[in-house]
Amino acid sequence: MMVIDEQVLADILGLMSQLAGDWEYSGAIGPETRLLGDLGMESLDLVVLGTMIQHRYGRLPFAEYLAEIGQRPVEERDVTVGELVAYVCHHRGRTMAGGPR
Amino acid sequence: MSDRNGAGNATVLGENHEIRHDGIAIIGMSCLFPGAPNVDAYWRNILAKVNAITDPPPEAWDTDVYYDPDFIDKDKVYCKKGGYLGNLASFDPLPHGIPPFSVGGEPDQWLALQLARDAMADAGCTDLPEEIRQRTAVILGKGTYLNGGNALAVEHGLIIGQTLEIIKRLNPEFTGAQLELLRQEMKEVLPPIGPETVPGLIPNIIVGRIANRLDLMGPTYTVDAACASSLVAVHQAMRDLRNGECDLALVGGAQVWMPVPALNVFCQLGALSRRQQIRPFDKDADGTILGEGVGMVVLKRLTDAERDGDRIYAVIKGAGVASDGRGVSVMAPRVEGEVLALQRAYEAAGISPRSVGLIEAHGTATPVGDVVEVQALTRVFGQRDGELPTCAVGTVKSMISHTIPAAGVAGLIKTALALYHKVLPPTLNCDEPNPKLELEKTPFYINTETRPWIHGESTPRRAGVNAFGFGGINAHVILEEYSNHESVSPPARPSSGNHGTSPVLNHLPPWDSEVCILEGATRGDLVEQADRLVRFLDSAIPSENSAEPAFSLTDLAASLNQGLSQGNNTCRLALVATSLKDLRQKLDRAMKRLSDPGCRRIKDVSGIYFNAEPLGRDGRLAFLFPGEGSQYPNMLADLCIHFPEVRECFDRCDRIFAGHARGYGLSDIVFPRPAFSDDQRQWAESRLMRMDSAVEAVLTGNLAMVTLLQRLGLRPDVLVGHSTGEYSAMIAAGILDLDTEERLTSFSRSLNRYYQDSVAHDGVPRAMLLAIGAEREQVAAIAQEAGGEIFLAMDNCPHQAILVGTREAAERALEIVRREGLIYEQLTFDRAYHTQLFAPYADHLHRILADIPIRQPHLPIYSCTTAAAYPTDPSEIRSLIVEHWARPVEFRRTIESLYKQGVRIFVEAGPRGNLSTFVEDILRGQPFCAVPANVQRRSGVAQLNHLVGMLAAHGVNLDLSYLFERRDPQRVDWGATPGTVKRVRSGEKIVLHTGWPLLKLPDDINQRLQRERNGQPSPLAPLPILGEGNQLSDSAPHFQTLGEGQGVRAAPSAMEAYFQTMDQFLSAQEQIMQAYFGGLGDPLPEPGGDEPWWEHSVTVSGNGHDTGAAPVEDTVTWDAQAGDYARPGNGANHGHSDNEPAHETPVSTVGHDRLSDGREEAVVRSITEPVPNSNGALESRAHITRQLLGLVSERTGYPVEMLDPRLDLEGDLGIDSIKRVEILGSYRQQVGNVDGLNLEELTTQRTLEQIIDLLVAGSGEQAPTPDPRGGAQSVRTRSPLPILGEGHGVRAAIPNTNAPNYDFPLLGDVTSWTPGEELITKRTFDITEDLYLRHHTLGPSAGTDDDELPALAVMPLTMSLEILAEAASALVPDRIVVGLRDVLAYRWIAWDDKPQTLRITARYRTRSGSNDHVVVEIRNLTEDAETGESLKSPVIEATVVLSGGYSEPPGSRLPHPEGGQPSRWQAGRLYPDVMFHGPSWQGVTAIDRTGTQGIVATLRTLPVDGFFRSMSDPHFVLDPVVLDAAGQVIGFWTMEHLASGKVIFPFRVAALDLYGPSRAAGEDLTCVAAIELLGDQLVRSDIDVMTTDGQLWMRLTGWEDKRFELPAGFISLIQASRDVEISSSWPEPIAGIPYRERLQCRRLTATFPSDQGFWKRVWAQRVLSRRERDQFRQLHTPERRQIEWLAARTAAKEAVQQLAKARYGLDLLHSDIEIYPDEHGRPLVGGAWTGALDTVPLISVAHSRGVAVAFASLEDRERCPRVGIDIEYLRPRPAGFDEVAFTISEREVIASLPADSREEWLLRCWCAKEAVAKALGTGLIEGPRSVAVVAVDLAGERVAIRLAGELARRHPDLSTASIVARTVRQGDLIAATTLWETADEWPPVLTD
């Protein structure tokens, strides 16, 4: 089961809205929202977002994560907000020692 | 197997290079297949891979009876899945000139006729000249094995007869009558077969009808070659066209209705799929699936089609037909036969099979059939040559099933569309090809995906279609694409040689979205435009379940975009929408955002774009061309299908490598064949990444996109290419001059050759590529730290730079990247581009470029090598091109320089869209717009729409017509007043019978038979078996059962037909009577008027009393109800008396009528002067016309208003000579055998007008004279009612983006909201949710419990007030409602059984002092939808007053009633005794005092928690219950004080004032009302409601009720008691009969002075069973007839009630007794209870001028086998009546009667004749001469009647007896009844 840390969720949504610039999304954004399919992000946007998340939470194995996503079949090549938050929560524990840089 | 069938004896035919010019063009197509009503849908379904094979719809056949999956019973069917047409098999006969009553028999013929017209229209041949029609052939494939209509005839004629014989032998005790009943019951479930429908059972009628209706005179015949039928038909047609026998041919196949025996036969043979899935060519294929469909094509010689400029779908090059000869068995397919058919086709066409790219296979999915087919194809095509298969194979059977004779044409249409649109269509259900096919050895592959048909060969695209018939008949047809060298431009429209005006549609697949652009000079304008569009959409899409709007999203988008200005001063909103609904929602969202002045732009991912500061005005525009890595499999595939110029780019690339040694084209890897293995998949994927293919793919993709963008009118200011994309930029800039195909080919082949050479010598420098998510400086530092051969090759953007290096160096760099925690990706290709490693390879490019002319750029182009403009010197350019491959791509710096140069708009002209994301990253935070033309996750057209939307919103000018030019959009006038979308008028579509109806008997008959079989005694005892009356409902009436299951589809139309018959039966008599007994009835139509005659007011006399006294002759207006209840005082109904002298002074009155169609009109009604004699001819002509049209309508089913007398009877109306004889025969029977009427001459006339001319000429003195008093005539004028509603002014933008925050139970969903300005909501009210309505019904339910058969529910006025108050509160949320002003209700809101959707609109009007005024109106959208247009007035409107607080209450101004006294209404009995309200509304607890001018009552506030099913504790703004109670108080007063007009309903309130908040439930309040009568129709009251301490809480001023004068019997309808007796006993007609306790005669006068349409509904809901309610709602007769229908039924039901009570002690409700007509219209009695009786009651009904009577008998059938009744009013008869109504001998009988009573006896005799004819069940089938008066018994008031003519022949056993009719006169009413007594006991002689 995916556990959503509300604080991390709020942080990531904040980062996403920074990244989105003037792009809008008229629906409600929640854990089920897909970054590519719904929000129209591109793979480079994931890199930028990953970089921003690392700035906040410290180093995470993002390259591997994105590579894994990139290898999925085209129709599954996406990530939801919830998955991203879960990923961050899961890996933060292991890399928190260094703390935010 | 391969030895025998493989290449060994393959017969590969070569191309015959003599070009044949005798191709046959397909110029028109139409089809109807499962899931596809037309060609558009068929093609859309094919491309979308829709599987239309389903379980049988319930009406098709009964799976409970015939389906046995295990097939233990070999008479059943193990496969129920099929391709069923279901409701698609429907037909509107009127446009074809087919009489509706003729529609029956084989359903194929009607659908084929429709499709023949459709195909001709598609070909542009709607109006062919005669010389072509004479040379047009019709050849249809149609099986003559057991078809549906024939099956039905067998059921009717033989099976029922046999079944009855069996029943008779099993039950010898059954009487003839019982068997007859069984026969009738069995016939009832079958679609009728009669003289009208029988011709349709002859198979060839299918083409005969087409030839007849389209007037075609070439050869027309059907062909039966089983599954090959339609291709054999094509073969025949080609021959006829080629040898000149015809010039045009309509060809196809039809199979509608697959009878169960046919399915069974296929099961017996094991041919149907056991797994119930058709899997052609799959390894698990186990059989076929059968289905229904019709398809047609229009064929013409190609040369003629070209001459005529026809649209040509495809050209048929050849066809071959061959039989199997002697094979294994007659059923087994044989390779040799199939091979022969194929060979004959290719030989005939002179075409090599090798050039065929698509085979539409027969592919039935029987394992043997599939294998044999592939073997045959392989023998003709040869074995595979090369690595890749070349020919796609599939079959549409996988989607629609096998439609037998229509299967060939299904494949032909599909294949023609494939060639026309250049698409390889998919086939379904082949997951793994059957290995036995050995496809790997053949040139074939199974194509399971929709793919663009890219073609680089020199021959045109070609395809073959197979159809192999059961029994061994094989056909193959070869098609070729038609290319007129203009294939890129939209196809030619039919021009010179074309003969019609209908637009020729392209059948393009629909787009998944459209872009809609609105513009205005200012933002305010833009909002106004959006608002107009919203209103337009709301009016065009009225409600969820109503019909489709008349236009599509595409139509609207094209219309919106067409009007865009190209100026710069505009403000634009662009929306990308997927549907009209989506557009509506996005408009809402956009308007909300635009209302916020702080909103500077909208850039919504879902597709909403707006810019307050558009960049397109001043900013420059760059095209960006991506490089390698942007290609992906299937890129631009959908664009290839929608845009031929995109596909052309790929075609060209394939042409370059056609025949090339490498053995594949680009399309082979960009649009790979569906892969059935990983190997196949990987082959295409790896090729796509290889350098040579990657370069080709990227350049082709870029070229395709830039072509598209240029066609869109985009003009870049500068061009940039990224890496390989620089080639694209250079080509676009004109530097690389590759404009000719030769040069492009040479360049491309050189590049490829160089690449191949380098690969061969290992000369392509390899490397590892790392994309690193960091800035270039950091990435460069990593390269440096890593050391060795690794370089920064690309600086894409701040978050991406690419390192390229040797593997070792790259591994080191990767270590550092990981250490730094950077995000990275290793790219999948390996070229060492843009580094010095690549320099050696790049140097060779010099040589290739040396051959290419290099020119100066004609458009500025930037280089990513220098981040600056390209040099202009060609040699510098050449150097830069080469250098570019060895130096880094400085994309970031290039974009930054462009930005500095003023470029703001970046359009990426290539696949995938990577560069746009780089630009986003580079320019983040600055104003710019970067948009890709293509992205992988959206469809090609969707992204194109987003691109257009974004650019348009930035003010970039585009040529948007390009998006629509091939798609035939219809213009939508969205700027017009909302609601003007016109619907095309046509008749109702008749759903055809395509099912196998189960012959069955009603359940209760089964039970009865069961009981008898078990030896139990029949329930002969008079007293009830069933006991209590309320147990009756436990077993549903048997009609209910009949209506379910099998019978459902048959029921509505069959029943309606019966009703029509019954109605005709009754009305025909009346017509005769009206014509000859004074002609006072129908007024004459106005000369030249185009209204149907029944629309005119009909003045008839009615009897307001049920006494036997002389009727008081009130004049009532039957079809035009007097006065809308909202507009009292205008009733025009008390003007004159009917029997006043004929020379009455003309009177004119004016009134408002609520017409049956809901239009509000004023009626000026005048009583005219007597018609002068000089007008006699004209009037008689009008009369004859009316009578004749009425007859034609009755006999054909055409609505009268369609019958223009000038129409050609045969040509336009399909009324053949037999029908004409029938119609004219009945006419003669009606008018009598008038001299000079020569039937023969009449029947040969072509038009009704000509017939009328003859009739008028021949009628002379005989012509029926018109009404001597003249008729009441109506002139309609438009009402001067204020028009409310639609045209509001401009709405200011309100800066508030919150949704309205409300929680109001009655408002529903917000559809539009402008805070503080306007709120529009929509809510559907339904008695299952809005439970309070159940307590506000007019009377209790008609069933035994409240939930069953609820009475008519009406919205309480006060609940409407609550809606108004809620809407105002929602609009002005911070204020409270303190009152209402000017409440006016125009119409009822009532619930028969269906929901009503209301739209509530609240608009802020003004502030007055501290009060806000909000105008609120309610519209009933359901009512609007029913009437087809918005009614002019809302149902209710008022002004709501809101304030910050309540005002101080004044003292009560109302004195207690003077002379007040205690009321006769007892507290506790108020509601049961007086009112209809249920517990929720019983707010009056006592009437304290009552007086002539007022009343005092006690009210109590009631809880409302049970008001809604899904809301437990609603909060209301008002207290609607107390308000209603205050209003009810007036009702208690009228019921007590008034003698007449005491039923009242409120409709107007001048003012409501509230002085405090709503009170808690359970509190007592005092209500004081002052009441005053205004005229005789209105009651006006002022009402105060006070708390118990005397403080005024609420005041109603000017509360006005309308009084309804209900006839006495009808008041009980709306009261709480279930005991209703509406009719009254009428013993007089049966007074002399000894056993009259077993007879009942009742009469009923139903005259409603006003709002007849409403009372009709109240009445119907109280007396009808569920099934009768449905029937009643289906009656489309004039309202007068509907009332008579109800009245006659009610009287009959009550007569039966009385008898059942007296004889059996049964207490029956009205709804328990069902009256239904037999096929002749004779009413029969039914109901579950009848099973318990020893005899079913017999009834007869009659009506005349508002009086309905019923006669019922429960007498033993021996004694009383038949009953009949008829009534007429005595009135002066016109000259000539006697001669018409009676024969000479009858007249002799009458002449001998005493002179003073002769007049009366004449009518008694007439009624007697009618009564006898009705008792017989058929009526006067030959008019007055059908029966004859033989004697009159003056003293006994009896008439003896004998059957004559046809009736006597039909009933030889009755022909010699004299039947007695008893007559009676009461006042002016004459009645005759018969119990079928014979006249033996009284002498048949005249008695004085």
PDB file of all heavy atoms in Angstrom, chain B residues 1223-1236:
ATOM      1  N   ILE B1223     -59.567   2.493 -51.625  1.00  0.00           N
ATOM      2  CA  ILE B1223     -59.881   3.798 -51.038  1.00  0.00           C
ATOM      3  C   ILE B1223     -61.149   4.376 -51.673  1.00  0.00           C
ATOM      4  O   ILE B1223     -62.060   4.835 -50.983  1.00  0.00           O
ATOM      5  CB  ILE B1223     -58.697   4.761 -51.233  1.00  0.00           C
ATOM      6  CG1 ILE B1223     -57.526   4.306 -50.350  1.00  0.00           C
ATOM      7  CG2 ILE B1223     -59.090   6.188 -50.901  1.00  0.00           C
ATOM      8  CD1 ILE B1223     -56.210   4.954 -50.702  1.00  0.00           C
ATOM      9  N   LEU B1224     -61.199   4.310 -52.990  1.00  0.00           N
ATOM     10  CA  LEU B1224     -62.354   4.887 -53.661  1.00  0.00           C
ATOM     11  C   LEU B1224     -63.610   4.072 -53.387  1.00  0.00           C
ATOM     12  O   LEU B1224     -64.710   4.625 -53.310  1.00  0.00           O
ATOM     13  CB  LEU B1224     -62.081   5.015 -55.162  1.00  0.00           C
ATOM     14  CG  LEU B1224     -61.022   6.095 -55.436  1.00  0.00           C
ATOM     15  CD1 LEU B1224     -60.452   5.965 -56.835  1.00  0.00           C
ATOM     16  CD2 LEU B1224     -61.616   7.484 -55.232  1.00  0.00           C
ATOM     17  N   GLY B1225     -63.411   2.770 -53.214  1.00  0.00           N
ATOM     18  CA  GLY B1225     -64.549   1.938 -52.830  1.00  0.00           C
ATOM     19  C   GLY B1225     -65.113   2.396 -51.493  1.00  0.00           C
ATOM     20  O   GLY B1225     -66.324   2.545 -51.328  1.00  0.00           O
ATOM     21  N   SER B1226     -64.218   2.643 -50.534  1.00  0.00           N
ATOM     22  CA  SER B1226     -64.741   3.087 -49.232  1.00  0.00           C
ATOM     23  C   SER B1226     -65.353   4.459 -49.349  1.00  0.00           C
ATOM     24  O   SER B1226     -66.298   4.785 -48.646  1.00  0.00           O
ATOM     25  CB  SER B1226     -63.688   3.146 -48.142  1.00  0.00           C
ATOM     26  OG  SER B1226     -62.542   2.562 -48.528  1.00  0.00           O
ATOM     27  N   TYR B1227     -64.766   5.255 -50.242  1.00  0.00           N
ATOM     28  CA  TYR B1227     -65.359   6.578 -50.424  1.00  0.00           C
ATOM     29  C   TYR B1227     -66.793   6.435 -50.924  1.00  0.00           C
ATOM     30  O   TYR B1227     -67.709   7.063 -50.409  1.00  0.00           O
ATOM     31  CB  TYR B1227     -64.536   7.400 -51.416  1.00  0.00           C
ATOM     32  CG  TYR B1227     -65.115   8.772 -51.670  1.00  0.00           C
ATOM     33  CD1 TYR B1227     -64.866   9.817 -50.776  1.00  0.00           C
ATOM     34  CD2 TYR B1227     -65.931   9.013 -52.763  1.00  0.00           C
ATOM     35  CE1 TYR B1227     -65.414  11.065 -50.988  1.00  0.00           C
ATOM     36  CE2 TYR B1227     -66.485  10.264 -52.976  1.00  0.00           C
ATOM     37  CZ  TYR B1227     -66.226  11.293 -52.087  1.00  0.00           C
ATOM     38  OH  TYR B1227     -66.778  12.524 -52.292  1.00  0.00           O
ATOM     39  N   ARG B1228     -66.952   5.539 -51.876  1.00  0.00           N
ATOM     40  CA  ARG B1228     -68.284   5.360 -52.423  1.00  0.00           C
ATOM     41  C   ARG B1228     -69.238   4.822 -51.360  1.00  0.00           C
ATOM     42  O   ARG B1228     -70.386   5.206 -51.277  1.00  0.00           O
ATOM     43  CB  ARG B1228     -68.244   4.428 -53.628  1.00  0.00           C
ATOM     44  CG  ARG B1228     -69.514   4.488 -54.436  1.00  0.00           C
ATOM     45  CD  ARG B1228     -69.342   3.825 -55.751  1.00  0.00           C
ATOM     46  NE  ARG B1228     -68.953   2.435 -55.577  1.00  0.00           N
ATOM     47  CZ  ARG B1228     -68.845   1.587 -56.604  1.00  0.00           C
ATOM     48  NH1 ARG B1228     -69.073   1.996 -57.821  1.00  0.00           N
ATOM     49  NH2 ARG B1228     -68.502   0.346 -56.397  1.00  0.00           N
ATOM     50  N   GLN B1229     -68.701   3.941 -50.529  1.00  0.00           N
ATOM     51  CA  GLN B1229     -69.561   3.429 -49.463  1.00  0.00           C
ATOM     52  C   GLN B1229     -69.971   4.539 -48.512  1.00  0.00           C
ATOM     53  O   GLN B1229     -71.078   4.572 -47.996  1.00  0.00           O
ATOM     54  CB  GLN B1229     -68.818   2.341 -48.685  1.00  0.00           C
ATOM     55  CG  GLN B1229     -68.823   1.017 -49.422  1.00  0.00           C
ATOM     56  CD  GLN B1229     -67.617   0.182 -49.053  1.00  0.00           C
ATOM     57  OE1 GLN B1229     -67.024   0.382 -47.992  1.00  0.00           O
ATOM     58  NE2 GLN B1229     -67.265  -0.741 -49.914  1.00  0.00           N
ATOM     59  N   GLN B1230     -69.045   5.454 -48.284  1.00  0.00           N
ATOM     60  CA  GLN B1230     -69.380   6.542 -47.366  1.00  0.00           C
ATOM     61  C   GLN B1230     -70.412   7.485 -47.957  1.00  0.00           C
ATOM     62  O   GLN B1230     -71.310   7.940 -47.274  1.00  0.00           O
ATOM     63  CB  GLN B1230     -68.121   7.338 -47.019  1.00  0.00           C
ATOM     64  CG  GLN B1230     -67.267   6.635 -45.979  1.00  0.00           C
ATOM     65  CD  GLN B1230     -66.250   7.576 -45.374  1.00  0.00           C
ATOM     66  OE1 GLN B1230     -66.313   8.788 -45.551  1.00  0.00           O
ATOM     67  NE2 GLN B1230     -65.321   7.009 -44.635  1.00  0.00           N
ATOM     68  N   VAL B1231     -70.249   7.819 -49.222  1.00  0.00           N
ATOM     69  CA  VAL B1231     -71.144   8.823 -49.778  1.00  0.00           C
ATOM     70  C   VAL B1231     -72.335   8.193 -50.482  1.00  0.00           C
ATOM     71  O   VAL B1231     -73.241   8.882 -50.888  1.00  0.00           O
ATOM     72  CB  VAL B1231     -70.422   9.758 -50.770  1.00  0.00           C
ATOM     73  CG1 VAL B1231     -69.261  10.443 -50.101  1.00  0.00           C
ATOM     74  CG2 VAL B1231     -69.965   8.987 -51.991  1.00  0.00           C
ATOM     75  N   GLY B1232     -72.292   6.879 -50.621  1.00  0.00           N
ATOM     76  CA  GLY B1232     -73.379   6.226 -51.339  1.00  0.00           C
ATOM     77  C   GLY B1232     -73.026   6.131 -52.806  1.00  0.00           C
ATOM     78  O   GLY B1232     -72.048   6.720 -53.284  1.00  0.00           O
ATOM     79  N   ASN B1233     -73.814   5.359 -53.498  1.00  0.00           N
ATOM     80  CA  ASN B1233     -73.493   5.105 -54.896  1.00  0.00           C
ATOM     81  C   ASN B1233     -73.983   6.251 -55.758  1.00  0.00           C
ATOM     82  O   ASN B1233     -75.027   6.208 -56.380  1.00  0.00           O
ATOM     83  CB  ASN B1233     -74.113   3.781 -55.331  1.00  0.00           C
ATOM     84  CG  ASN B1233     -73.390   3.253 -56.535  1.00  0.00           C
ATOM     85  OD1 ASN B1233     -72.462   3.882 -57.028  1.00  0.00           O
ATOM     86  ND2 ASN B1233     -73.821   2.108 -56.997  1.00  0.00           N
ATOM     87  N   VAL B1234     -73.208   7.301 -55.742  1.00  0.00           N
ATOM     88  CA  VAL B1234     -73.628   8.518 -56.420  1.00  0.00           C
ATOM     89  C   VAL B1234     -73.533   8.334 -57.927  1.00  0.00           C
ATOM     90  O   VAL B1234     -72.568   7.757 -58.429  1.00  0.00           O
ATOM     91  CB  VAL B1234     -72.737   9.680 -55.962  1.00  0.00           C
ATOM     92  CG1 VAL B1234     -73.170  10.962 -56.648  1.00  0.00           C
ATOM     93  CG2 VAL B1234     -72.817   9.821 -54.462  1.00  0.00           C
ATOM     94  N   ASP B1235     -74.527   8.838 -58.606  1.00  0.00           N
ATOM     95  CA  ASP B1235     -74.484   8.739 -60.068  1.00  0.00           C
ATOM     96  C   ASP B1235     -73.276   9.491 -60.586  1.00  0.00           C
ATOM     97  O   ASP B1235     -72.842  10.483 -60.036  1.00  0.00           O
ATOM     98  CB  ASP B1235     -75.744   9.374 -60.680  1.00  0.00           C
ATOM     99  CG  ASP B1235     -76.967   8.553 -60.296  1.00  0.00           C
ATOM    100  OD1 ASP B1235     -76.771   7.395 -59.899  1.00  0.00           O
ATOM    101  OD2 ASP B1235     -78.081   9.105 -60.385  1.00  0.00           O
ATOM    102  N   GLY B1236     -72.760   9.049 -61.652  1.00  0.00           N
ATOM    103  CA  GLY B1236     -71.650   9.756 -62.291  1.00  0.00           C
ATOM    104  C   GLY B1236     -70.307   9.428 -61.688  1.00  0.00           C
ATOM    105  O   GLY B1236     -69.289   9.958 -62.100  1.00  0.00           O
TER     106      GLY B1236
END
